[in-house]
């Protein structure tokens, strides 16, 4: 082995140990001998569910984000409330849905490989497949996560909020070992899905003492959002698609930010720091650059793990 090859190998091993030292060691071939067909099963379940309901991919991707940001990617977001109120019933998570897709995948996998595959891994596969089925990039999901036994609604306050400014976002991500590039790339998940009025109300009503509407929000979009989300007599599930191509995974999100047409304060905030603003411009001009960065950041985020077991039922600890 050459000295340069040895150095690259050493660097890779160092990065590997840094990422996985806090949880279980993950590997790309974890199920090679115990459940080789696991990813094919999840892909099939996600694809079939998406054919029946186009909102499934956005729901599964968001579910995975919300899982990883609380106690690591340990499927704690899947646990049902019992004696205590679980994460899924915390305020930011009440609009999560498509849990049945994970249940269906788990049932199919248990029939083939009982007691082998964690719910946390199934959710990580499903998030990747959701991006692929929507036209986005694919990546090799590291495997071997364990499922957690604890889930508390009170801890959902740790999730980054749509009202966050750039300093709050940076702190939230850095606490989880994620960089500013990870922040901008992972925010691109907002290319999929739908937002209820509550997530952007702060920008269109009583923004501050001087302005009713956030002055950085494009006036045309502001007028549209105010008509959809009036202060009084609002429709129960009123809201807006995250972007006009809300079922297609693309880089439209970044183009909208540059036009002041993003929905959340936390999206607009990416323009308030020179580095994040530069990355927004890079991703807006190159879908390939965004796809590559997103895949890398998903691998990094999905490797935060701290579970203890392989659940038999994804909704209940063993």
């Amino acid at each position: 082995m050459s000295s340069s090859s040895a150095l690259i190998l050493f660097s890779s091993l160092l990065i590997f140990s840094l990422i996985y030292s806090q949880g279980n060691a993950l590997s790309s071939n974890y199920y090679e001998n115990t459940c080789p067909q696991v990813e094919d099963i999840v892909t099939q379940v996600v694809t079939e569910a998406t054919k029946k309901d186009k909102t499934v991919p956005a729901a599964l991707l968001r579910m995975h984000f919300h899982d990883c940001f609380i106690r690591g990617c340990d499927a704690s977001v899947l646990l049902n409330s019992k004696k205590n109120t679980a994460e899924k019933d915390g305020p930011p998570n009440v609009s999560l849905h498509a849990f049945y897709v994970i249940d269906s995948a788990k049932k199919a996998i248990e029939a083939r490989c009982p007691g082998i595959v964690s719910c946390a891994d199934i959710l990580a596969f499903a998030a990747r497949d959701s991006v692929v089925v929507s036209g986005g990039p694919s990546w090799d999901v590291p495997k071997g996560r364990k499922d957690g036994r604890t889930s508390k609604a009170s801890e959902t306050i740790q999730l980054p909020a749509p009202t966050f400014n750039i300093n709050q976002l940076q702190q939230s991500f850095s606490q989880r070992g994620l960089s500013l590039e990870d922040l901008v790339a992972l925010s691109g998940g907002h290319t999929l899905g739908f937002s209820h009025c509550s997530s952007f109300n702060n920008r269109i009503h009583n923004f501050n003492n001087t302005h009713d509407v956030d002055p950085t929000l494009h006036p045309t979009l502001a007028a549209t959002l105010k008509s959809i989300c009036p202060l009084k007599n609002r429709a129960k599930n009123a809201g807006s698609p995250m972007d006009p191509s809300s079922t297609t995974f693309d880089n439209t999100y970044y183009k909208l930010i540059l036009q002041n047409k993003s929905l959340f304060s936390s999206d607009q905030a990416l323009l308030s720091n020179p580095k994040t603003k530069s990355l927004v411009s890079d991703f807006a001009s190159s879908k390939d650059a965004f796809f590559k960065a997103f895949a890398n950041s998903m691998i990094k985020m999905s490797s935060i793990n701290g579970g203890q077991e392989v659940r038999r039922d994804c909704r209940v600890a063993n």
Side-chain angles (χ1 to χ4, degrees):
M1 183 186 293
S2 70
S3 59
S4 60
S5 298
L7 186 62
I8 292 168
L9 179 61
F10 176 75
S11 300
S12 300
L13 289 171
L14 185 63
I15 291 167
F16 185 90
S17 67
L18 284 171
I19 291 176
Y20 304 126
S21 61
Q22 304 227 326
N24 307 288
L26 307 185
S27 68
S28 59
N29 59 354
Y30 190 85
Y31 297 115
E32 195 170 43
N33 298 318
T34 53
C35 196
Q37 65 275 58
V38 59
E39 290 182 87
D40 292 337
I41 294 171
V42 177
T43 300
Q44 186 176 357
V45 170
V46 171
T47 303
E48 288 303 312
T50 303
K51 285 178 184 173
K52 294 171 185 166
D53 181 355
K54 296 293 183 198
T55 70
V56 161
L60 294 174
L61 182 59
R62 184 165 176 249
M63 194 187 294
H64 181 51
F65 279 138
H66 284 215
D67 182 37
C68 293
F69 266 70
I70 309 291
R71 296 179 172 266
C73 315
D74 66 344
S76 52
V77 75
L78 304 179
L79 288 171
N80 284 346
S81 295
K82 282 195 151 182
K83 291 175 183 174
N84 69 299
T85 309
E87 282 173 40
K88 63 164 60 166
D89 295 318
N93 286 340
V94 290
S95 58
L96 289 179
H97 65 103
F99 291 101
Y100 70 91
V101 180
I102 304 301
D103 293 335
S104 298
K106 178 66 170 173
K107 185 178 179 183
I109 291 164
E110 287 296 300
R112 297 274 193 95
C113 330
I116 301 292
V117 182
S118 67
C119 299
D121 274 352
I122 293 170
L123 182 51
F125 298 146
R128 186 265 319 273
D129 294 340
S130 294
V131 171
V132 174
V133 80
S134 304
S138 187
W139 60 91
D140 186 15
V141 175
K143 305 159 187 70
R145 293 165 194 77
K146 293 291 187 284
D147 298 323
R149 299 182 52 80
T150 304
S151 184
K152 298 178 180 177
S154 58
E155 293 182 352
T156 59
I157 197 169
Q158 298 168 24
L159 289 167
T163 54
F164 270 13
N165 62 35
I166 193 65
N167 293 329
Q168 292 170 307
L169 289 168
Q170 184 173 4
Q171 182 180 9
S172 178
F173 276 67
S174 65
Q175 284 171 348
R176 293 158 177 86
L178 299 170
S179 67
L180 280 177
E181 181 167 5
D182 296 321
L183 162 62
V184 180
L186 293 172
S187 294
H190 289 168
T191 182
L192 294 179
F194 178 90
S195 170
H196 292 101
C197 299
S198 57
S199 294
F200 53 84
N201 247 350
N202 66 302
R203 301 189 75 194
I204 58 172
H205 299 294
N206 305 315
F207 178 69
N208 61 23
N209 291 334
T210 315
H211 301 278
D212 183 45
V213 174
D214 182 347
T216 64
L217 184 61
H218 193 285
T220 307
L221 178 60
T224 302
L225 295 178
K226 279 179 86 81
S227 67
I228 295 168
C229 305
L231 270 177
K232 296 177 180 176
N233 303 321
R234 180 189 307 152
K236 185 184 176 189
N237 290 314
S240 170
M242 294 300 292
D243 76 28
S245 55
S246 63
T247 58
T248 304
F249 195 94
D250 55 26
N251 63 337
T252 304
Y253 165 79
Y254 299 102
K255 296 174 184 177
L256 292 172
I257 293 177
L258 294 176
Q259 296 166 22
N260 292 327
K261 291 180 179 177
S262 57
L263 277 186
F264 299 161
S265 295
S266 59
D267 299 326
Q268 181 69 27
L270 300 179
L271 295 182
S272 63
N273 170 292
K275 181 168 184 183
T276 55
K277 184 177 181 178
S278 175
L279 287 164
V280 169
S281 297
D282 291 346
F283 296 158
S285 60
S286 172
K287 188 168 77 169
D288 289 343
F290 164 48
F291 279 14
K292 184 177 179 184
F294 185 82
N296 288 335
S297 294
M298 283 295 287
I299 291 168
K300 198 169 163 186
M301 181 193 74
S302 75
S303 300
I304 311 166
N305 183 239
Q308 300 85 36
E309 64 184 22
V310 174
R311 261 178 239 153
R312 289 183 290 273
D313 177 341
C314 289
R315 293 172 182 257
V316 186
N318 290 348

